[in-house]
Amino acid sequence: MIAGRDLVKKFEAFPALDGVSFEFEDGEIFGIIGHNGAGKTTLLKIIAGLIAPTSGSLRVNEIDVVNDPTALKAMLGYLPEESRLYETMTAENYLAFFGEIYGLSPQEITVRSRQLFAALSLEPNGKKLGEFSKGMKRKAAIARSLIHDPKFLVYDEATSGLDPMTSRFIADYLRTLRKEGKTIVLSAHNLYQVEAICDKVMILKRGKVVAFGSMKELREQFGSLTYTIFFSIGNPDRLVGHTKTYRQEEGLYVCDAESMEELNESTSLIAEVGGRVEKIESKYPSLEEMLLRIGK
Ligand code: ATP
């Protein structure tokens, strides 16, 4: 369990985090999202014990991270937003180097490295990290974060800037890690991926939590279904001057409605101007729409 209470982080007088509280249960994936500068990286660094909050408390299991950040090291794997790799090292040596730091024996390092390379579909073959592609570098950094088999993982933008296949591969791998019982806290701008893999999502805005919960809970908080109405009309000129905005798709006219009332109002208007509703699609707001709604 990771539990934060009233976390505040000020840089000079600027509050990057402004009273953030949460509880993350074991064995789940938590996504932290928000616009640029919302405070995601700051929160992840605090959770990883890398920077201290100005005030507030943070417990990871029984560890008081604020007062004893080093106690967390053995059970935590951190992936920074941009991991500077040791470009002249081979991936094998890179993992061995970090394995030693975590007190693993040479045998343990060999076994664990092999497992991780296989799981991540990484074939290092003695290549230097500097020669790796961006995707391979990210996988090497992920392998490093896992070398000591930590229970908690804090990943800052694990898949940003990667091609769709590698990004998908890593997302699937995070699901595998969850199955193995790991607790993962991640930040991401790829909201589609957050929706797909996270059990709970926290939305930060200017250092404050504006929403936190499962996708279902967030949907309830952000309002229910929205509707798209597809209609045909014999004389489209009759739409001129209408208050609703229309577009054309698939040879039909289309308009959106944010609620059931608006839906009823729109279908009546369409009927009034001689149109015919062909189909109505409904959908829940996506994370992207939620973020757009909360604004910067
Ligand atoms: P992004 O999506 O762009 O990575 P973020 O949500 O991760 O953004 P943070 O990096 O946590 O945001 O930054 C939050 C705010 O705190 C920003 O306004 C940033 O400029 C400020 N900030 C972060 N680190 C420092 C620092 N070391 N010194 C001064 N200000 C900082």
Side-chain angles (χ1 to χ4, degrees), residues 200-261:
K200 302 222 173 74
V201 178
M202 175 191 283
I203 305 182
L204 281 180
K205 177 181 176 179
R206 294 191 199 161
K208 286 188 192 303
V209 180
V210 289
F212 178 53
S214 63
M215 278 308 299
K216 186 170 175 283
E217 287 162 339
L218 292 187
R219 281 177 193 133
E220 277 159 15
Q221 183 175 336
F222 278 82
S224 50
L225 294 166
T226 58
Y227 305 89
T228 306
I229 308 159
F230 295 79
F231 64 97
S232 53
I233 182 161
N235 180 8
D237 289 345
R238 293 191 66 188
L239 290 172
V240 177
H242 248 278
T243 44
K244 290 222 58 118
T245 42
Y246 302 98
R247 58 186 184 278
Q248 280 180 287
E249 271 176 37
E250 304 166 19
L252 292 170
Y253 285 82
V254 183
C255 69
D256 299 308
E258 297 287 323
S259 63
M260 186 53 87
E261 291 74 46

Side-chain angles (χ1 to χ4, degrees), residues 26-294:
D26 286 353
E28 294 195 334
I29 303 181
F30 298 90
I32 300 175
I33 65 167
H35 298 290
N36 291 125
K40 303 179 293 292
T41 296
T42 305
L43 179 57
L44 292 181
K45 283 184 176 167
I46 289 175
I47 293 174
L50 294 170
I51 57 172
T54 308
S55 62
S57 68
L58 178 75
R59 299 195 76 84
V60 175
N61 282 359
E62 293 315 306
I63 295 170
D64 178 342
V65 181
V66 178
N67 292 313
D68 192 9
T70 51
L72 188 63
K73 284 223 156 78
M75 61 168 85
L76 188 120
Y78 177 67
L79 181 76
E81 194 167 4
E82 280 174 26
S83 35
R84 245 178 261 139
L85 299 185
Y86 297 61
E87 303 274 302
T88 56
M89 258 188 195
T90 64
E92 292 89 338
N93 288 343
Y94 176 61
L95 287 202
F97 177 68
F98 280 92
E100 269 175 45
I101 291 177
Y102 286 108
L104 270 62
S105 71
Q107 273 151 317
E108 284 171 323
I109 289 172
T110 309
V111 172
R112 187 85 188 125
S113 301
R114 261 194 218 134
Q115 281 171 349
L116 289 169
F117 289 144
L120 282 156
S121 199
L122 194 61
E123 290 168 21
N125 299 328
K127 250 197 205 170
K128 294 202 173 71
L129 291 169
E131 296 162 13
F132 273 21
S133 69
K134 207 168 171 182
M136 286 171 82
K137 280 185 179 169
R138 206 63 181 146
K139 286 181 177 182
I142 289 173
R144 183 201 51 70
S145 75
L146 290 161
I147 188 72
H148 54 304
D149 200 14
K151 174 155 179 38
F152 298 100
L153 300 172
V154 176
Y155 282 5
D156 201 349
E157 289 284 353
T159 60
S160 90
L162 303 183
D163 67 67
M165 251 176 86
T166 312
S167 176
R168 174 85 166 265
F169 179 93
I170 291 175
D172 287 342
Y173 186 53
L174 296 182
R175 284 199 183 104
T176 309
L177 292 171
R178 170 177 55 192
K179 253 190 229 151
E180 290 171 7
K182 304 212 183 287
T183 306
I184 305 170
V185 186
L186 57 85
S187 74
H189 282 291
N190 181 339
L191 302 178
Y192 168 74
Q193 203 168 65
V194 170
E195 263 190 79
I197 69 170
C198 292
D199 298 292
K200 302 222 173 74
V201 178
M202 175 191 283
I203 305 182
L204 281 180
K205 177 181 176 179
R206 294 191 199 161
K208 286 188 192 303
V209 180
V210 289
F212 178 53
S214 63
M215 278 308 299
K216 186 170 175 283
E217 287 162 339
L218 292 187
R219 281 177 193 133
E220 277 159 15
Q221 183 175 336
F222 278 82
S224 50
L225 294 166
T226 58
Y227 305 89
T228 306
I229 308 159
F230 295 79
F231 64 97
S232 53
I233 182 161
N235 180 8
D237 289 345
R238 293 191 66 188
L239 290 172
V240 177
H242 248 278
T243 44
K244 290 222 58 118
T245 42
Y246 302 98
R247 58 186 184 278
Q248 280 180 287
E249 271 176 37
E250 304 166 19
L252 292 170
Y253 285 82
V254 183
C255 69
D256 299 308
E258 297 287 323
S259 63
M260 186 53 87
E261 291 74 46
E262 208 183 314
L263 174 69
N264 290 335
E265 191 184 303
S266 298
T267 49
S268 306
L269 279 173
I270 289 165
E272 270 173 36
V273 295
R276 194 174 80 174
V277 174
E278 303 290 348
K279 64 173 174 173
I280 296 172
E281 286 176 359
S282 59
K283 67 179 175 63
Y284 287 107
S286 64
L287 275 182
E288 190 172 322
E289 283 156 338
M290 292 179 200
L291 261 194
L292 287 173
R293 258 189 242 174
I294 66 160

